[in-house]
Amino acid sequence: MKLFLTGGFLGSGKTTAIRQACHYLQQLNIKAGVITNDQGNQQVDTRFIKSNNIATEEVADSCFCCNYPAFESGLKSLQQPGHNEIIFAESVGSCTDLAATIINPLLQFSPGEYDIILSVFADIRLLVMHLQNNAGIFFEEVSYIYKKQLEEADIIIVNKIDLVTPMQLEAAKHIVESKYPGKKILYQNSLSQENIKEWIDIMLYRLSEPGMRKTLLIDYDIYGRGEAWLTWLDQDIIITCADNSALHAAHLLAQKIHQNVHNGGYATGHIKFFIDTGNTQQKLSFTTLQGEGVFETAANKTPYVKMLVNARVQTTPESLAKIIADAIAETMCACPCSITVTRQSCYIQGYPKPTHREAG
């Protein structure tokens, strides 16, 4: 079984790449499934992948490494006979040490069953900032997680190259390749089928990784402090508008949340929205450096939408909850709509405690 483990920091574009890769594999008549992962139990990525008719399992309320039994259960479910030839497993964006906590245990407990490649994604702009000043826009302990993710990659995917100029790309290549000599590095626009094909072809045919991996030296106290700097907010919302402008109100709310986080000076891992009108589904995504998504046309009128919010921001739970509440109030003032929060959780993660840690 081919297992394409996919890591990388929040907002690096992992989910988009996996979706595009699954569509490419479908064209080759190769069945692929996905295991999604988040610290919360209301996952935008799970709903988004499922909305693309891709076989999906999820590990919720924990990272892969701290809930190995759930990860293994999802893996076994997707590899039932006749189901999938390839499984993508997308780890939560604040997780590292995957070689010791996922790859080596799998290879030890199920010898000969899995061929595993670990791809780690990085937004080209954030990566260059990180390598140039060793910190970037996140606090030192958060950047420690970012650094360790890249160190253990079999393949580093320098993503979102369509967002820089050719001159900036060449400069970035010099910086990245001097920092990671000997690493397999791809420069990718994950919306490009040609780039996705190259990534998949390398993992399928041109890159063979050894069995047990050499593990990193991880200071779990620093790792834990990095996790604790990030607040996670998950929220289910219902928007109703008598004038059929609920989709417009949902997009306005998403923009206001992102803008309020930015105006507060908080570094954003990601803020994701899954918007369901009952007939159509959309995903919007914002990071500190970028916003992306599909916005409605004038013809898309609906009186009612459901909206799921996943926000991961470097701030306190109190600050992030207030930002969201203020954005909802501002949206209701700007639009003739009613916005109801049906479920919300806002929290920071506990100390990382992997189920297994096997040295290579």
Side-chain angles (χ1 to χ4, degrees):
M1 169 63 68
K2 295 282 188 181
L3 175 59
F4 296 157
L5 192 56
T6 308
F9 199 66
L10 300 158
S12 57
K14 302 183 294 294
T15 307
T16 296
I18 289 171
R19 180 196 62 175
Q20 296 295 102
C22 288
H23 288 171
Y24 168 68
L25 290 166
Q26 287 171 358
Q27 296 173 24
L28 303 179
N29 294 317
I30 297 174
K31 294 181 179 179
V34 179
I35 305 176
T36 59
N37 179 217
D38 209 324
Q39 302 286 11
N41 59 15
Q42 306 166 63
Q43 298 187 30
V44 166
D45 288 345
T46 301
R47 297 190 194 182
F48 178 61
I49 293 293
K50 284 184 175 179
S51 74
N52 282 263
N53 297 315
I54 298 168
T56 309
E57 295 287 334
E58 73 173 12
V59 175
D61 291 318
S62 58
C63 57
F64 285 157
C65 55
C66 294
N67 195 354
Y68 184 89
F71 171 78
E72 188 175 40
S73 175
L75 198 56
K76 296 296 184 184
S77 177
L78 287 173
Q79 67 182 98
Q80 293 297 318
H83 280 206
N84 300 290
E85 301 166 62
I86 293 172
I87 296 174
F88 292 89
E90 180 188 351
S91 69
V92 67
S94 61
C95 184
T96 189
D97 206 22
L98 293 170
T101 61
I102 295 297
I103 297 176
N104 287 350
L106 268 178
L107 295 174
Q108 181 173 333
F109 302 150
S110 304
E113 190 169 344
Y114 297 104
D115 181 7
I116 307 172
I117 301 292
L118 172 57
S119 299
V120 173
F121 279 67
D123 181 320
I124 187 170
R125 300 158 303 164
L126 188 60
L127 177 58
V128 168
M129 291 171 63
H130 172 80
L131 295 179
Q132 284 180 328
N133 62 20
N134 201 33
I137 59 178
F138 291 94
F139 295 153
E140 182 178 350
E141 295 90 345
V142 180
S143 293
Y144 179 83
I145 298 172
Y146 188 94
K147 172 185 174 184
K148 290 299 180 181
Q149 289 174 337
L150 293 162
E151 283 182 11
E152 69 175 346
D154 297 326
I155 309 174
I156 294 176
I157 308 293
V158 181
N159 199 29
K160 305 186 182 182
I161 61 170
D162 52 308
L163 302 179
V164 298
T165 67
M167 185 177 297
Q168 289 171 327
L169 176 58
E170 288 306 310
K173 287 181 178 180
H174 176 75
I175 293 169
V176 174
E177 289 164 18
S178 63
K179 178 64 176 179
Y180 300 104
K183 283 277 191 186
K184 182 64 181 177
I185 302 171
L186 294 180
Y187 299 89
Q188 182 164 298
N189 167 12
S190 291
L191 297 176
S192 161
Q193 180 164 302
E194 181 180 348
N195 287 175
I196 290 295
K197 178 182 183 298
E198 182 181 10
W199 176 41
I200 295 300
D201 286 354
I202 285 173
M203 292 193 292
L204 281 177
Y205 309 118
R206 289 155 48 195
L207 184 66
S208 178
E209 287 301 317
M212 298 285 282
R213 301 297 205 275
K214 181 180 179 180
T215 53
L216 300 178
L217 293 174
I218 299 284
D219 186 322
Y220 265 72
D221 289 333
I222 298 176
Y223 182 6
R225 290 198 297 273
E227 288 269 31
W229 277 120
L230 297 169
T231 289
W232 304 69
L233 182 141
D234 301 314
Q235 188 179 69
D236 275 316
I237 294 172
I238 294 174
I239 302 176
T240 56
C241 297
D243 66 351
N244 291 331
S245 63
L247 192 57
H248 169 73
H251 290 157
L252 180 61
L253 175 58
Q255 291 170 319
K256 284 187 175 295
I257 289 172
H258 174 246
Q259 191 62 49
N260 289 357
V261 170
H262 176 76
N263 290 344
Y266 305 118
T268 302
H270 70 233
I271 309 173
K272 297 180 182 179
F273 305 88
F274 187 78
I275 301 170
D276 188 350
T277 69
N279 297 314
T280 62
Q281 295 80 39
Q282 300 177 358
K283 177 186 173 183
L284 307 180
S285 181
F286 298 90
T287 69
T288 292
L289 301 175
Q290 179 186 12
E292 57 190 22
V294 179
F295 288 80
E296 84 276 14
T297 65
N300 288 329
K301 299 295 185 180
T302 180
Y304 172 93
V305 300
K306 291 182 178 179
M307 186 171 180
L308 173 59
V309 183
N310 290 165
R312 285 72 176 107
V313 179
Q314 185 177 268
T315 185
T316 64
E318 295 77 15
S319 295
L320 186 54
K322 185 177 187 307
I323 284 169
I324 302 291
D326 288 347
I328 290 173
E330 291 165 9
T331 302
M332 286 195 291
C333 286
C335 295
C337 67
S338 170
I339 301 177
T340 304
V341 177
T342 60
R343 182 168 59 165
Q344 176 174 302
S345 54
C346 190
Y347 51 95
I348 58 174
Q349 290 308 302
Y351 193 91
K353 297 178 180 178
T355 308
H356 306 286
R357 193 170 193 275
E358 304 294 335

